[in-house]
Amino acid sequence: MSSSSSLKGSSSRFFTIGLVTSWYSSNIGVLLLNKYLLSNYGFKYPIFLTMCHMMACSLFSYVAIAWLKMVPMQTIRSRVQFVKIAALSLVFCASVVSGNISLRYLPVSFNQAIGATTPFFTAVFAYLMTLKREAWLTYVTLIPVVTGVVIASGGEPSFHLFGFIMCVGATAARALKTVLQGILLSSEGEKLNSMNLLMYMAPIAVVFLLPATLIMEEDVVGITLALARDDIRIVWYLLFNSSLAYFVNLTNFLVTKHTSALTLQVLGNAKGAVAVVVSILIFRNPVSVTGMLGYSLTVIGVILYSEAKKRSK
Protein backbone atom coordinates (compact mmCIF):
# COMPACT_ATOMS: atom_id res chain seq x y z
CA MET A 1 0.00 0.00 0.00
CA SER A 2 1.62 3.25 -1.11
CA SER A 3 1.66 6.31 1.11
CA SER A 4 -0.49 8.30 -1.31
CA SER A 5 -3.32 5.76 -1.23
CA SER A 6 -3.21 5.55 2.58
CA LEU A 7 -3.31 9.35 2.67
CA LYS A 8 -6.30 9.28 0.35
CA GLY A 9 -7.99 6.73 2.60
CA SER A 10 -7.49 8.81 5.72
CA SER A 11 -8.54 12.04 4.04
CA SER A 12 -11.74 10.42 2.76
CA ARG A 13 -12.32 9.03 6.25
CA PHE A 14 -11.92 12.52 7.69
CA PHE A 15 -14.26 13.82 5.01
CA THR A 16 -16.90 11.24 5.99
CA ILE A 17 -16.47 11.98 9.70
CA GLY A 18 -16.76 15.72 9.02
CA LEU A 19 -19.81 15.11 6.90
CA VAL A 20 -21.56 13.00 9.52
CA THR A 21 -20.68 15.54 12.21
CA SER A 22 -22.19 18.38 10.18
CA TRP A 23 -25.24 16.24 9.38
CA TYR A 24 -25.75 15.51 13.08
CA SER A 25 -25.17 19.06 14.22
CA SER A 26 -27.42 20.64 11.59
CA ASN A 27 -30.16 18.07 12.26
CA ILE A 28 -30.04 18.36 16.02
CA GLY A 29 -29.44 22.12 15.77
CA VAL A 30 -32.64 22.68 13.78
CA LEU A 31 -34.60 20.50 16.16
CA LEU A 32 -33.36 22.29 19.28
CA LEU A 33 -33.70 25.75 17.74
CA ASN A 34 -37.24 24.98 16.59
CA LYS A 35 -38.07 23.78 20.07
CA TYR A 36 -36.47 26.85 21.64
CA LEU A 37 -38.29 29.28 19.33
CA LEU A 38 -41.68 27.58 19.47
CA SER A 39 -41.93 26.83 23.15
CA ASN A 40 -39.19 28.50 25.20
CA TYR A 41 -38.89 31.75 23.28
CA GLY A 42 -42.63 31.89 22.75
CA PHE A 43 -42.63 32.35 18.96
CA LYS A 44 -45.93 30.53 18.42
CA TYR A 45 -45.98 30.38 14.62
CA PRO A 46 -45.00 26.92 13.39
CA ILE A 47 -46.45 27.44 9.89
CA PHE A 48 -44.59 30.71 9.39
CA LEU A 49 -41.42 29.07 10.73
CA THR A 50 -41.82 26.22 8.22
CA MET A 51 -42.37 28.78 5.46
CA CYS A 52 -39.09 30.51 6.37
CA HIS A 53 -37.38 27.12 6.16
CA MET A 54 -38.86 26.46 2.73
CA MET A 55 -37.90 29.91 1.45
CA ALA A 56 -34.31 29.29 2.54
CA CYS A 57 -34.37 25.83 0.93
CA SER A 58 -35.67 27.31 -2.33
CA LEU A 59 -32.96 29.95 -2.43
CA PHE A 60 -30.04 27.77 -1.34
CA SER A 61 -31.08 24.86 -3.57
CA TYR A 62 -31.13 27.12 -6.57
CA VAL A 63 -27.72 28.58 -5.71
CA ALA A 64 -26.24 25.12 -5.07
CA ILE A 65 -27.54 23.65 -8.31
CA ALA A 66 -27.64 26.52 -10.80
CA TRP A 67 -24.51 28.41 -9.69
CA LEU A 68 -22.30 26.09 -7.69
CA LYS A 69 -23.29 23.10 -9.86
CA MET A 70 -23.08 20.70 -6.91
CA VAL A 71 -25.32 18.29 -8.81
CA PRO A 72 -26.46 18.46 -12.44
CA MET A 73 -29.72 20.32 -12.85
CA GLN A 74 -32.66 18.09 -13.73
CA THR A 75 -35.65 19.60 -15.46
CA ILE A 76 -39.31 18.83 -14.97
CA ARG A 77 -40.33 17.02 -18.15
CA SER A 78 -44.09 17.12 -18.09
CA ARG A 79 -47.14 18.61 -16.45
CA VAL A 80 -47.85 15.21 -14.90
CA GLN A 81 -44.44 15.16 -13.26
CA PHE A 82 -45.04 18.68 -11.92
CA VAL A 83 -48.36 17.60 -10.37
CA LYS A 84 -46.62 14.61 -8.77
CA ILE A 85 -43.94 16.87 -7.28
CA ALA A 86 -46.63 19.26 -6.03
CA ALA A 87 -48.41 16.33 -4.34
CA LEU A 88 -45.14 15.28 -2.69
CA SER A 89 -44.57 18.87 -1.65
CA LEU A 90 -47.98 18.99 0.04
CA VAL A 91 -47.24 15.84 2.05
CA PHE A 92 -43.77 17.23 2.84
CA CYS A 93 -45.40 20.46 4.13
CA ALA A 94 -47.84 18.53 6.24
CA SER A 95 -45.06 16.52 7.86
CA VAL A 96 -42.83 19.52 8.64
CA VAL A 97 -45.67 21.72 9.91
CA SER A 98 -47.12 18.97 12.12
CA GLY A 99 -43.67 18.21 13.46
CA ASN A 100 -43.12 21.87 14.33
CA ILE A 101 -46.56 22.15 15.91
CA SER A 102 -45.81 19.07 18.03
CA LEU A 103 -42.59 20.70 19.28
CA ARG A 104 -44.68 23.46 20.84
CA TYR A 105 -46.30 20.92 23.13
CA LEU A 106 -43.86 18.04 23.49
CA PRO A 107 -40.27 17.76 24.68
CA VAL A 108 -37.73 16.93 21.96
CA SER A 109 -36.96 13.61 23.62
CA PHE A 110 -40.55 12.38 23.28
CA ASN A 111 -40.83 13.89 19.78
CA GLN A 112 -37.82 11.81 18.72
CA ALA A 113 -39.19 8.64 20.29
CA ILE A 114 -42.35 8.98 18.19
CA GLY A 115 -40.28 9.89 15.12
CA ALA A 116 -38.39 6.62 15.46
CA THR A 117 -41.55 4.71 14.47
CA THR A 118 -41.22 5.91 10.85
CA PRO A 119 -40.38 2.35 9.61
CA PHE A 120 -43.72 1.14 10.98
CA PHE A 121 -45.67 3.72 8.98
CA THR A 122 -43.49 3.15 5.93
CA ALA A 123 -44.26 -0.59 6.04
CA VAL A 124 -47.99 0.13 6.46
CA PHE A 125 -48.15 2.60 3.56
CA ALA A 126 -45.99 0.43 1.33
CA TYR A 127 -48.39 -2.44 1.96
CA LEU A 128 -51.54 -0.35 1.43
CA MET A 129 -50.33 1.47 -1.66
CA THR A 130 -48.12 -0.99 -3.50
CA LEU A 131 -49.33 -4.22 -1.86
CA LYS A 132 -45.64 -4.87 -1.30
CA ARG A 133 -45.32 -7.46 1.43
CA GLU A 134 -42.26 -7.76 3.59
CA ALA A 135 -41.05 -11.05 5.06
CA TRP A 136 -43.10 -11.86 8.19
CA LEU A 137 -39.98 -11.45 10.33
CA THR A 138 -39.77 -7.81 9.26
CA TYR A 139 -43.29 -7.21 10.56
CA VAL A 140 -42.47 -8.97 13.82
CA THR A 141 -39.62 -6.50 14.43
CA LEU A 142 -42.12 -3.64 14.15
CA ILE A 143 -43.87 -4.85 17.32
CA PRO A 144 -41.16 -3.53 19.70
CA VAL A 145 -40.98 -0.31 17.62
CA VAL A 146 -44.62 0.49 18.34
CA THR A 147 -44.73 -1.03 21.83
CA GLY A 148 -41.78 1.13 22.83
CA VAL A 149 -43.63 4.32 21.93
CA VAL A 150 -46.78 3.14 23.71
CA ILE A 151 -44.69 2.55 26.85
CA ALA A 152 -42.85 5.86 26.41
CA SER A 153 -46.19 7.69 26.05
CA GLY A 154 -47.45 6.18 29.27
CA GLY A 155 -44.28 7.17 31.07
CA GLU A 156 -43.89 10.65 29.54
CA PRO A 157 -44.17 13.30 32.29
CA SER A 158 -44.95 16.05 29.76
CA PHE A 159 -47.46 14.07 27.69
CA HIS A 160 -49.81 16.30 25.67
CA LEU A 161 -52.51 14.65 23.56
CA PHE A 162 -52.73 17.27 20.79
CA GLY A 163 -48.94 17.41 20.54
CA PHE A 164 -48.83 13.61 20.43
CA ILE A 165 -51.41 13.43 17.62
CA MET A 166 -49.51 16.09 15.63
CA CYS A 167 -46.24 14.22 16.10
CA VAL A 168 -47.72 10.88 15.00
CA GLY A 169 -49.24 12.72 12.01
CA ALA A 170 -45.85 14.19 11.14
CA THR A 171 -44.21 10.76 11.35
CA ALA A 172 -46.91 9.17 9.20
CA ALA A 173 -46.65 11.98 6.63
CA ARG A 174 -42.87 11.55 6.47
CA ALA A 175 -43.31 7.83 5.79
CA LEU A 176 -46.04 8.56 3.23
CA LYS A 177 -43.71 10.95 1.40
CA THR A 178 -41.03 8.24 1.18
CA VAL A 179 -43.46 5.68 -0.22
CA LEU A 180 -45.09 8.19 -2.59
CA GLN A 181 -41.70 9.31 -3.83
CA GLY A 182 -40.86 5.70 -4.66
CA ILE A 183 -44.11 5.31 -6.59
CA LEU A 184 -44.44 8.69 -8.30
CA LEU A 185 -40.86 9.30 -9.34
CA SER A 186 -39.93 5.72 -10.08
CA SER A 187 -39.71 5.76 -13.87
CA GLU A 188 -36.25 6.53 -15.27
CA GLY A 189 -37.33 9.74 -16.97
CA GLU A 190 -38.90 11.12 -13.81
CA LYS A 191 -36.28 10.22 -11.22
CA LEU A 192 -35.00 13.32 -9.46
CA ASN A 193 -32.16 13.25 -6.97
CA SER A 194 -33.06 14.67 -3.57
CA MET A 195 -31.29 18.00 -4.21
CA ASN A 196 -33.27 18.67 -7.38
CA LEU A 197 -36.45 17.40 -5.79
CA LEU A 198 -35.95 19.86 -2.92
CA MET A 199 -35.32 22.69 -5.39
CA TYR A 200 -38.75 22.07 -6.94
CA MET A 201 -40.60 21.06 -3.76
CA ALA A 202 -39.53 23.97 -1.57
CA PRO A 203 -40.96 26.83 -3.69
CA ILE A 204 -44.20 24.86 -4.19
CA ALA A 205 -44.28 24.39 -0.41
CA VAL A 206 -43.95 28.18 0.05
CA VAL A 207 -46.99 28.61 -2.22
CA PHE A 208 -48.98 26.19 -0.02
CA LEU A 209 -47.73 27.65 3.25
CA LEU A 210 -48.18 31.36 2.48
CA PRO A 211 -52.00 31.29 2.42
CA ALA A 212 -52.00 28.86 5.37
CA THR A 213 -49.87 31.14 7.52
CA LEU A 214 -51.88 34.24 6.51
CA ILE A 215 -55.17 32.56 7.37
CA MET A 216 -54.16 30.58 10.44
CA GLU A 217 -51.48 32.80 11.95
CA GLU A 218 -52.87 36.21 11.11
CA ASP A 219 -50.53 39.19 11.21
CA VAL A 220 -47.55 36.94 11.88
CA VAL A 221 -45.26 39.19 9.81
CA GLY A 222 -46.36 42.26 11.77
CA ILE A 223 -45.86 40.43 15.05
CA THR A 224 -42.42 39.18 13.98
CA LEU A 225 -41.38 42.71 12.96
CA ALA A 226 -42.66 44.05 16.28
CA LEU A 227 -40.68 41.32 18.07
CA ALA A 228 -37.62 42.25 16.03
CA ARG A 229 -37.90 45.88 17.16
CA ASP A 230 -37.79 44.71 20.77
CA ASP A 231 -35.26 41.95 20.30
CA ILE A 232 -33.28 41.84 17.04
CA ARG A 233 -32.09 38.33 17.93
CA ILE A 234 -35.35 36.85 16.62
CA VAL A 235 -34.33 37.86 13.08
CA TRP A 236 -30.97 36.14 13.46
CA TYR A 237 -32.61 33.08 15.02
CA LEU A 238 -35.01 32.80 12.07
CA LEU A 239 -32.27 33.35 9.47
CA PHE A 240 -29.89 30.91 11.11
CA ASN A 241 -32.62 28.34 11.72
CA SER A 242 -33.81 28.55 8.11
CA SER A 243 -30.27 28.19 6.74
CA LEU A 244 -29.72 25.18 8.99
CA ALA A 245 -32.92 23.64 7.67
CA TYR A 246 -31.36 23.67 4.22
CA PHE A 247 -28.09 22.23 5.50
CA VAL A 248 -30.01 19.31 7.03
CA ASN A 249 -31.17 18.42 3.52
CA LEU A 250 -27.78 19.08 1.94
CA THR A 251 -25.78 17.03 4.45
CA ASN A 252 -28.43 14.29 4.36
CA PHE A 253 -27.97 14.08 0.59
CA LEU A 254 -24.17 14.04 0.86
CA VAL A 255 -24.13 11.45 3.66
CA THR A 256 -26.44 9.25 1.59
CA LYS A 257 -24.13 9.65 -1.39
CA HIS A 258 -20.88 8.97 0.47
CA THR A 259 -21.94 6.13 2.78
CA SER A 260 -23.88 2.91 2.31
CA ALA A 261 -27.61 2.59 3.00
CA LEU A 262 -26.86 0.50 6.07
CA THR A 263 -24.46 3.08 7.53
CA LEU A 264 -27.14 5.68 6.93
CA GLN A 265 -29.69 3.62 8.89
CA VAL A 266 -27.34 3.05 11.80
CA LEU A 267 -26.34 6.73 11.86
CA GLY A 268 -29.99 7.75 11.63
CA ASN A 269 -30.94 5.61 14.62
CA ALA A 270 -28.01 6.91 16.64
CA LYS A 271 -28.89 10.49 15.65
CA GLY A 272 -32.26 10.24 17.37
CA ALA A 273 -30.61 8.97 20.54
CA VAL A 274 -28.01 11.76 20.45
CA ALA A 275 -30.79 14.34 19.94
CA VAL A 276 -32.64 12.96 22.96
CA VAL A 277 -29.59 13.17 25.22
CA VAL A 278 -28.61 16.66 24.03
CA SER A 279 -32.14 18.00 24.38
CA ILE A 280 -32.53 16.62 27.89
CA LEU A 281 -29.23 18.25 28.87
CA ILE A 282 -30.24 21.59 27.35
CA PHE A 283 -33.95 21.87 28.14
CA ARG A 284 -33.76 19.80 31.32
CA ASN A 285 -37.22 18.38 30.67
CA PRO A 286 -38.23 15.73 33.20
CA VAL A 287 -37.81 12.19 31.92
CA SER A 288 -39.02 9.01 33.51
CA VAL A 289 -37.37 5.62 33.62
CA THR A 290 -40.45 4.20 31.87
CA GLY A 291 -40.13 6.79 29.11
CA MET A 292 -36.46 5.99 28.54
CA LEU A 293 -37.11 2.24 28.60
CA GLY A 294 -39.86 2.66 26.04
CA TYR A 295 -37.63 4.75 23.83
CA SER A 296 -34.80 2.21 24.10
CA LEU A 297 -37.20 -0.56 23.11
CA THR A 298 -38.21 1.42 20.01
CA VAL A 299 -34.58 1.98 19.00
CA ILE A 300 -33.82 -1.72 19.46
CA GLY A 301 -36.88 -2.51 17.35
CA VAL A 302 -35.71 -0.18 14.59
CA ILE A 303 -32.26 -1.82 14.59
CA LEU A 304 -33.83 -5.29 14.38
CA TYR A 305 -36.11 -4.03 11.64
CA SER A 306 -33.20 -2.84 9.48
CA GLU A 307 -31.46 -6.18 10.12
CA ALA A 308 -34.55 -8.19 9.11
CA LYS A 309 -35.08 -6.06 6.03
CA LYS A 310 -31.46 -6.56 4.99
CA ARG A 311 -31.74 -10.35 5.45
CA SER A 312 -34.94 -10.67 3.47
CA LYS A 313 -33.38 -8.99 0.41
Side-chain angles (χ1 to χ4, degrees):
M1 189 164 170
S2 67
S3 61
S4 68
S5 67
S6 67
L7 250 173
K8 193 165 178 276
S10 67
S11 69
S12 76
R13 194 173 308 125
F14 277 122
F15 175 73
T16 309
I17 293 171
L19 201 54
V20 171
T21 311
S22 49
W23 181 46
Y24 267 45
S25 36
S26 58
N27 247 291
I28 296 170
V30 161
L31 197 62
L32 300 179
L33 249 174
N34 283 351
K35 173 66 182 167
Y36 174 74
L37 282 172
L38 292 166
S39 60
N40 300 49
Y41 190 85
F43 185 78
K44 304 185 198 62
Y45 307 104
I47 305 178
F48 179 71
L49 184 63
T50 308
M51 193 180 78
C52 291
H53 287 182
M54 295 303 165
M55 283 161 71
C57 287
S58 310
L59 177 71
F60 287 131
S61 294
Y62 185 74
V63 170
I65 294 172
W67 293 353
L68 302 175
K69 306 227 182 317
M70 291 182 75
V71 290
M73 189 174 220
Q74 295 169 297
T75 49
I76 294 185
R77 302 276 173 86
S78 62
R79 197 196 231 142
V80 176
Q81 191 187 10
F82 177 77
V83 172
K84 288 175 174 180
I85 293 172
L88 276 179
S89 184
L90 191 60
V91 179
F92 183 45
C93 274
S95 81
V96 180
V97 170
S98 323
N100 284 339
I101 293 174
S102 81
L103 278 176
R104 261 188 72 185
Y105 303 100
L106 299 178
V108 173
S109 47
F110 188 42
N111 171 288
Q112 287 293 293
I114 301 168
T117 61
T118 311
F120 166 74
F121 290 101
T122 310
V124 170
F125 287 125
Y127 177 68
L128 292 176
M129 294 166 72
T130 60
L131 296 177
K132 180 170 148 278
R133 286 182 184 213
E134 297 286 352
W136 65 271
L137 190 66
T138 313
Y139 290 118
V140 174
T141 58
L142 289 171
I143 299 170
V145 172
V146 180
T147 316
V149 169
V150 173
I151 296 171
S153 309
E156 176 56 55
S158 331
F159 185 82
H160 186 286
L161 186 62
F162 177 68
F164 176 74
I165 292 169
M166 280 292 140
C167 196
V168 170
T171 309
R174 201 176 319 134
L176 179 62
K177 179 184 160 277
T178 310
V179 175
L180 270 176
Q181 203 170 315
I183 299 171
L184 296 180
L185 304 176
S186 60
S187 67
E188 274 314 304
E190 290 186 330
K191 265 201 182 117
L192 290 175
N193 62 39
S194 59
M195 297 285 286
N196 275 279
L197 186 59
L198 185 67
M199 182 177 73
Y200 292 119
M201 272 193 337
I204 300 171
V206 174
V207 174
F208 287 138
L209 292 167
L210 188 62
T213 185
L214 294 175
I215 295 163
M216 294 161 78
E217 304 176 331
E218 52 225 75
D219 201 31
V220 60
V221 180
I223 293 166
T224 309
L225 289 172
L227 267 174
R229 269 191 228 95
D230 290 338
D231 180 6
I232 193 69
R233 281 184 322 189
I234 182 76
V235 179
W236 293 112
Y237 282 147
L238 285 172
L239 285 171
F240 181 60
N241 192 358
S242 304
S243 312
L244 263 186
Y246 172 69
F247 282 100
V248 169
N249 288 292
L250 175 67
T251 52
N252 202 354
F253 170 73
L254 293 172
V255 168
T256 311
K257 199 172 132 185
H258 290 282
T259 60
S260 65
L262 178 71
T263 317
L264 193 71
Q265 283 232 290
V266 174
L267 291 173
N269 296 337
K271 187 169 76 348
V274 174
V276 168
V277 174
V278 175
S279 79
I280 291 169
L281 292 174
I282 293 180
F283 294 112
R284 305 192 178 280
N285 54 292
V287 282
S288 63
V289 178
T290 326
M292 282 295 105
L293 281 173
Y295 178 62
S296 311
L297 183 61
T298 296
V299 174
I300 292 166
V302 171
I303 295 167
L304 292 174
Y305 168 79
S306 17
E307 271 299 302
K309 224 172 138 72
K310 199 172 75 204
R311 297 252 166 100
S312 70
K313 279 205 173 99

